[in-house]
C-alpha cells in the first residue's frame, strides 16, 4: 500500500512522473547509442532551441488551464516584437534591452486585451475568437507595420544576440549557452509562482474547472479572463523578442503556423484541454521532450521529417492512455452497489 | 375563370414566399449568411464592376471554392457530432500524394491505359481518405480521446508521413484525365464546382434524410441522451469521421485536378480557414446543429470577398483582416441577440471553445 502511495505521488497529478521517466529513458538510451549525445554541447543546443517554444508554451498553459484554446499567440508574439523592431529601426533610436522588452510587452498586452475583451464580454468560444483575431492581427501587422525582412537588428538587440552565459570548447566543438535561456527560466519560475501562490492563479484553475461554479463562488470571472489574455499577450511578446534576437533578424512571417505544435507540447505535459488542470512542471517536460526527440532523431540519422510524425504518435499515445484510464475510473462507479463494492475492496486492501 | 386562376396563382406564390421566409427564419444563421453574401457581391460589383463581374473572375470564384468548400463540409460534419477535425487538410494532401505517386508509378506510354487508370486512382485516393477517417473515428469513438487532440495527433502523423514520403518536395504528375476534368465546364459552371455541389447535396441528404444523419445530430446535441436512447455512439462517431475522411480524399482529388502537383504542405492555411467557414455557415461548434447550405454559402462568401479584394487591388493581408473581422463580428452580433431574446439569462457555457 505504501509503495503504491509513493508511486502515485511520484507519478504526479498530471502524469509528470511518467513524462520524466520517458524523457530520462530517451536520454539514457540515446547516450548509450551515441556518446556524442551526452555532452554539454547537446544539452546547450536543446536548451537554446527550447527557449522560444518554452515561453510560448507558458502562455498556452495559462489559456488551457482557464478552459480555453488560443491560436493567436504566435501572431501576437511576432507582431509585438516585429513592430518594436520596426519602430526602433525607423526612428533610429537605440534603447536598452529592458525598454525593448517593455515596448513589446505593451503591444502584446494591447493585443491580448482585444482577445480577452471579446472572449470574456460576449462569452464566445475562445478557439473561434482567436482564429478571427489571429487573422486581424497578422493582416494588420503586414499591412500597416510592414512585411519587410530586416537582416539587421537595432544595436542593443544585435549585441544581446551574441551574449552567452557559458562558452567553452569541448572535445565535440564549441558549447555555448545563450543568455536568453535565462529569460525562459525566469518566465517559467514566475508563471509557476503566479499559479501556485496568487489569487489570480487559483481563480484560473477555478474558472477552467467550472466557469459557472467559479462565478457563483464569487470569483471575478470576467476580470480574470481578460487579465489572462493580457498576460498571454505579454508572455508571448517576450517569446517574440527572444526569437527575433536569437535568429538575429526580424522576419514577420516567423513563428506563425506553429501554434498547434506548441499546444501539442502543453497537452503532452498533462494539461487538460477542458481546463482546470495543468502544471508548469509538466509543460517544461513536454517542451523538453519534443526538443530532445528532435535532437535525437538528427543524431541517430533519422531525417528530421519524422519529427512531426513522432510528436503526433507521442501525443496520441499519451492522451490515449489518459483517456482509457479515465474511463476505467469512471466505469468503476456507476451505482450505489459499485460504491459499496469499492469501499469494501478498499477496506480489504487496507 | 382567368380571375380565379390568377387568384390561385397568387395564393400559391404567397404561400411559397411565406414558406421560404419561415424556413429562413427557422435558420437564422443561414439567412444572415445569404445577406452577407449578397451584400459582399453587390458591394464589389458596385465598386469595380468591370473586373469583378468579368466572366474570368466569376469562373475563378467557382474554381477556387470547391477544394475549400469540400473540406469545410467535412469540418461541419465533425462539428455536428460535437467534435472537430484538424487532420482534414493533411488527409487531403496524403490522398493527393498517394494518387500522384500511384499514377507516376503506373504511367506507361499508352494514353488509353493512362485514361483507364484515372478512376481506380481516384478510388484509391478516396479510400486513403476513408482509412485516415476511420483512424480518427477509432481514436475518438473507441479509445475515447478528445476529438481536438486525436485529430491534432493524426494531423501531425499524416503530415509527417507525407513529408517523409515526398522528402519535402513537390510531386508532379497526375492522370491527364484529372487535369482535363479540372478544365471542363458545363456551360458557365466548371466541373469542379459541380463536384462540390453534388458532394454538398449528398451530405445534406445524409444529414437530413438518413438515420445515420439523425444519429449524428443527436450525438452532437447531447451525447449522454444519445447513449441512453440506444444510439451506438462508437459506430456513429466512426461513421461520421469516415465520411469526413472520404471528403478529405475527394478534396485531394480536387487539389490534383486544379493543379497537377501534390505536396505535404499544400493548403496549410486551410486548417483554420475551414473552421471559420463552418462556423460562419451556422455550424454550432459545440455540436448538434449545422447546415450544409450555410457552409456552401459561407465558402462562396469568403471567396467573393477574397476575389473582390483582388479586384480592388487590395492585398491578401487586408483580406486576412477582413476575414477575421467578419468572423468576430458575426459571432459578437449572435451573442448580443442571444441575450436579448433570452431575457438576459446567461448564454450557454461557451468558454470551453473545443
Amino acid at each position: 500500500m505504501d509503495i503504491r502511495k509513493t508511486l502515485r505521488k511520484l507519478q504526479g497529478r498530471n502524469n509528470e512522473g511518467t513524462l520524466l521517466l520517458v524523457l530520462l529513458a530517451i536520454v539514457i538510451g540515446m547516450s548509450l547509442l551515441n556518446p556524442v549525445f551526452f555532452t554539454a554541447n547537446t544539452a546547450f543546443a536543446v536548451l537554446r532551441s527550447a527557449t522560444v517554444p518554452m515561453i510560448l508554451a507558458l502562455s498556452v498553459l495559462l489559456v488551457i488551464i482557464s478552459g480555453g484554446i488560443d491560436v493567436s499567440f504566435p501572431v501576437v508574439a511576432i507582431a509585438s516584437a516585429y513592430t518594436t523592431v520596426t519602430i526602433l529601426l525607423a526612428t533610429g533610436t537605440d534603447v536598452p534591452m529592458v525598454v525593448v522588452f517593455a515596448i513589446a510587452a505593451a503591444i502584446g498586452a494591447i493585443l491580448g486585451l482585444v482577445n480577452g475583451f471579446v472572449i470574456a464580454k460576449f462569452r464566445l468560444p475562445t478557439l473561434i475568437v482567436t482564429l478571427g483575431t489571429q487573422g486581424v492581427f497578422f493582416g494588420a501587422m503586414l499591412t500597416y507595420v510592414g512585411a519587410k525582412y530586416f537582416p539587421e537588428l537595432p544595436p542593443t538587440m544585435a549585441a544581446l544576440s551574441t551574449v552567452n552565459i557559458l562558452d567553452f570548447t569541448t572535445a565535440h566543438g564549441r558549447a555555448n549557452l545563450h543568455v536568453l535561456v535565462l529569460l525562459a527560466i525566469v518566465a517559467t519560475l514566475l508563471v509557476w509562482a503566479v499559479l501556485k501562490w496568487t489569487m489570480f492563479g487559483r481563480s484560473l484553475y477555478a474558472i477552467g474547472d467550472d466557469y459557472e461554479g467559479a462565478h457563483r463562488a464569487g470569483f471575478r470571472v470576467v476580470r480574470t479572463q481578460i487579465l489572462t489574455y493580457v498576460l498571454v499577450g505579454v508572455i508571448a511578446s517576450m517569446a517574440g523578442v527572444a526569437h527575433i534576437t536569437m535568429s538575429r533578424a526580424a522576419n514577420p512571417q516567423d513563428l506563425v503556423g506553429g501554434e498547434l505544435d506548441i499546444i501539442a507540447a502543453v497537452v503532452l505535459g498533462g494539461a487538460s484541454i477542458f481546463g482546470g488542470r495543468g502544471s508548469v512542471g509538466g509543460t517544461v517536460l513536454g517542451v523538453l521532450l519534443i526538443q530532445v526527440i528532435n535532437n535525437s532523431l538528427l543524431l541517430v540519422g533519422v531525417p528530421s521529417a519524422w519529427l512531426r510524425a513522432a510528436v503526433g504518435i507521442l501525443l496520441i499515445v499519451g492522451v490515449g492512455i489518459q483517456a482509457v484510464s479515465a474511463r476505467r475510473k469512471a466505469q468503476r462507479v456507476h451505482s450505489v452497489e459499485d460504491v459499496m463494492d469499492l469501499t469494501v475492496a478498499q477496506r480489504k486492501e487496507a | 375563370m382567368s380571375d380565379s386562376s390568377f387568384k390561385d396563382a397568387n395564393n400559391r406564390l404567397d404561400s411559397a414566399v411565406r414558406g421560404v421566409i419561415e424556413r429562413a427564419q427557422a435558420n437564422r444563421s443561414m439567412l444572415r449568411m445569404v445577406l452577407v453574401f449578397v451584400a459582399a457581391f453587390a458591394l464589389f460589383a458596385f465598386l469595380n464592376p468591370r473586373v469583378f463581374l468579368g466572366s474570368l473572375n466569376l469562373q475563378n470564384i467557382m474554381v477556387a471554392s470547391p477544394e475549400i468548400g469540400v473540406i469545410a463540409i467535412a469540418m461541419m460534419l465533425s462539428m455536428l457530432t460535437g467534435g472537430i477535425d484538424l487532420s482534414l487538410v493533411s488527409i487531403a494532401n496524403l490522398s493527393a500524394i498517394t494518387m500522384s505517386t500511384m499514377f507516376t508509378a503506373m504511367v506507361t506510354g499508352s494514353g488509353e491505359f493512362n485514361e483507364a487508370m484515372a478512376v481506380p486512382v481516384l478510388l484509391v485516393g478516396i479510400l486513403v481518405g476513408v482509412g485516415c477517417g476511420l483512424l480518427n473515428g477509432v481514436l475518438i469513438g473507441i479509445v475515447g480521446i478528445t476529438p481536438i487532440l486525436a485529430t491534432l495527433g493524426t494531423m501531425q502523423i499524416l503530415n509527417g508521413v507525407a513529408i517523409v514520403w515526398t522528402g519535402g518536395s513537390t510531386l508532379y504528375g497526375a492522370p491527364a484525365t484529372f487535369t482535363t476534368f479540372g478544365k471542363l465546364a458545363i456551360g458557365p459552371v466548371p466541373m469542379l464546382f459541380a463536384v462540390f455541389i453534388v458532394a454538398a447535396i449528398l451530405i445534406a441528404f445524409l444529414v437530413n434524410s438518413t438515420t445515420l444523419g439523425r444519429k449524428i445530430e443527436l450525438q452532437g446535441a447531447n451525447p449522454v441522451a444519445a447513449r441512453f436512447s440506444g444510439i451506438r455512439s462508437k459506430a456513429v462517431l466512426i461513421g461520421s469521421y469516415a465520411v469526413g475522411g472520404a471528403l478529405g480524399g475527394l478534396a485531394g482529388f480536387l487539389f490534383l485536378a486544379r493543379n497537377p502537383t501534390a505536396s505535404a504542405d499544400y493548403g496549410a492555411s486551410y486548417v483554420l480557414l475551414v473552421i471559420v467557414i463552418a462556423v460562419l455557415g451556422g455550424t454550432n461548434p459545440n455540436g448538434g446543429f449545422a447546415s450544409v447550405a450555410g457552409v456552401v454559402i459561407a465558402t462562396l462568401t469568403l471567396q467573393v470577398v477574397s476575389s473582390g479584394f483582388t479586384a480592388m487591388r487590395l492585398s491578401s493581408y487586408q483580406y486576412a483582416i477582413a476575414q477575421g473581422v467578419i468572423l468576430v463580428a458575426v459571432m459578437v452580433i449572435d451573442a448580443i441577440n442571444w441575450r436579448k431574446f433570452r431575457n438576459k439569462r446567461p448564454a450557454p457555457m461557451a468558454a470551453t471553445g473545443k
Side-chain angles (χ1 to χ4, degrees), chain B residues 175-258:
Chain B
T177 327
F178 282 18
T179 327
T180 17
F181 186 84
K183 294 197 176 89
L184 266 178
I186 320 167
V189 182
M191 272 311 254
L192 294 180
F193 193 72
V195 170
F196 172 38
I197 295 303
V198 169
I201 291 172
L202 283 179
I203 297 298
F205 177 76
L206 171 80
V207 172
N208 297 323
S209 313
T210 65
T211 42
L212 177 63
R214 200 35 51 88
K215 284 177 186 169
I216 291 175
E217 244 170 23
L218 284 174
Q219 169 72 26
N222 191 337
V224 178
R227 193 152 46 98
F228 284 111
S229 322
I231 289 175
R232 287 185 301 157
S233 305
K234 288 175 189 171
V236 169
L237 286 173
I238 292 175
S240 54
Y241 280 92
V243 174
L247 287 172
L250 181 66
F253 161 71
L254 294 173
F255 288 177
L256 272 183
R258 213 184 130 199

Side-chain angles (χ1 to χ4, degrees), chain B residues 30 33-35 37 196 281 292-302:
Chain B
M30 168 85 191
M33 216 51 232
V34 172
L35 284 177
F37 174 72
F196 172 38
V292 178
V295 173
V296 171
I297 291 183
T299 309
L300 290 176
T301 306
L302 283 186

Side-chain angles (χ1 to χ4, degrees), chain A residues 1-349:
Chain A
M1 192 63 197
D2 267 339
I3 297 170
R4 199 176 287 180
K5 247 185 200 166
T6 24
L7 269 182
R8 197 158 291 166
K9 205 169 180 192
L10 277 178
Q11 192 187 19
R13 277 207 293 187
N14 303 311
N15 271 323
E16 291 95 341
T18 322
L19 213 56
L20 188 64
L21 223 64
V22 174
L23 188 60
L24 283 178
I26 292 178
V27 169
I28 292 171
M30 280 305 302
S31 312
L32 292 176
L33 268 175
N34 190 343
V36 176
F37 183 82
F38 199 72
T39 55
N41 308 52
T42 312
F44 289 177
V46 167
L47 285 178
R48 187 194 163 105
S49 59
T51 300
V52 173
M54 185 63 233
I55 304 175
L56 287 175
L58 289 172
S59 67
V60 173
L61 176 70
L62 291 182
V63 179
I64 287 190
I65 290 177
S66 82
I69 292 181
D70 187 343
V71 289
S72 71
F73 65 92
V75 175
V76 171
I78 201 69
S80 47
Y82 181 77
T83 310
T84 310
V85 170
T86 311
I87 293 172
L88 293 180
L89 285 177
T91 55
T93 46
D94 195 24
V95 291
M97 212 50 212
V98 181
V99 181
V100 174
F101 276 113
I103 300 173
I107 299 170
I110 294 169
L111 298 182
L113 184 65
V114 174
N115 275 338
F117 181 80
V118 176
I119 288 169
K121 281 286 172 195
F122 299 107
R123 310 257 326 249
L124 295 175
T126 54
L127 172 66
I128 312 290
V129 171
T130 52
L131 262 177
T133 54
Q134 176 207 38
V136 176
F137 297 159
F138 194 54
M141 169 183 69
L142 293 171
T143 310
Y144 303 115
V145 180
K148 257 194 310 202
Y149 172 86
F150 294 118
E152 294 282 329
L153 294 180
T156 32
M157 287 177 87
L160 187 73
S161 69
T162 53
V163 177
N164 293 311
I165 327 168
L166 289 169
D167 192 350
F168 51 83
T169 314
T170 65
H172 306 287
R174 230 175 115 226
N176 47 15
L177 188 61
H178 198 272
V179 66
L180 282 173
V181 171
L182 285 179
L183 179 71
I185 295 173
V186 170
T188 308
L189 290 176
L190 276 178
V191 171
W192 176 77
V194 163
L195 285 178
K196 193 168 172 67
W197 285 317
T198 66
M199 196 58 209
F200 170 73
R202 297 282 99 192
S203 10
L204 213 56
Y205 280 102
I207 289 175
D209 203 32
D210 184 350
Y211 186 95
E212 205 51 52
H215 185 64
R216 292 194 185 168
F219 284 102
R220 301 182 182 223
V221 286
V222 172
R223 208 213 250 164
T224 309
Q225 260 192 322
I226 293 181
L227 189 58
T228 308
Y229 287 91
V230 171
L231 208 57
V232 166
V234 172
I235 298 175
S237 71
M238 300 291 108
V241 174
H243 173 81
I244 285 184
T245 309
M246 286 166 90
S247 56
R248 294 178 195 176
N251 180 2
Q253 312 268 3
D254 271 0
L255 294 180
V256 180
E259 51 271 3
L260 295 178
D261 295 334
I262 306 280
I263 294 175
V266 175
V267 171
L268 207 58
S272 161
I273 208 91
F274 298 116
R277 254 188 48 209
S279 70
V280 171
T283 305
V284 172
L285 289 172
V287 171
L288 281 181
L289 188 61
I290 288 180
Q291 295 301 332
V292 166
I293 290 176
N294 189 13
N295 213 297
S296 315
L297 288 179
L298 288 177
L299 272 180
V300 185
V302 177
S304 63
W306 278 107
L307 175 69
R308 286 206 78 141
V311 171
I313 292 170
L314 209 62
L315 185 68
I316 295 276
V317 172
V319 183
I321 291 172
Q322 280 178 31
V324 170
S325 66
R327 210 180 20 198
R328 283 224 185 109
K329 239 179 248 167
Q331 268 171 357
R332 260 182 238 151
V333 185
H334 261 322
S335 60
V336 181
E337 284 82 31
D338 285 348
V339 179
M340 294 301 289
D341 287 349
L342 211 65
T343 39
V344 171
Q346 273 173 353
R347 238 177 252 152
K348 266 185 199 160
E349 267 176 28

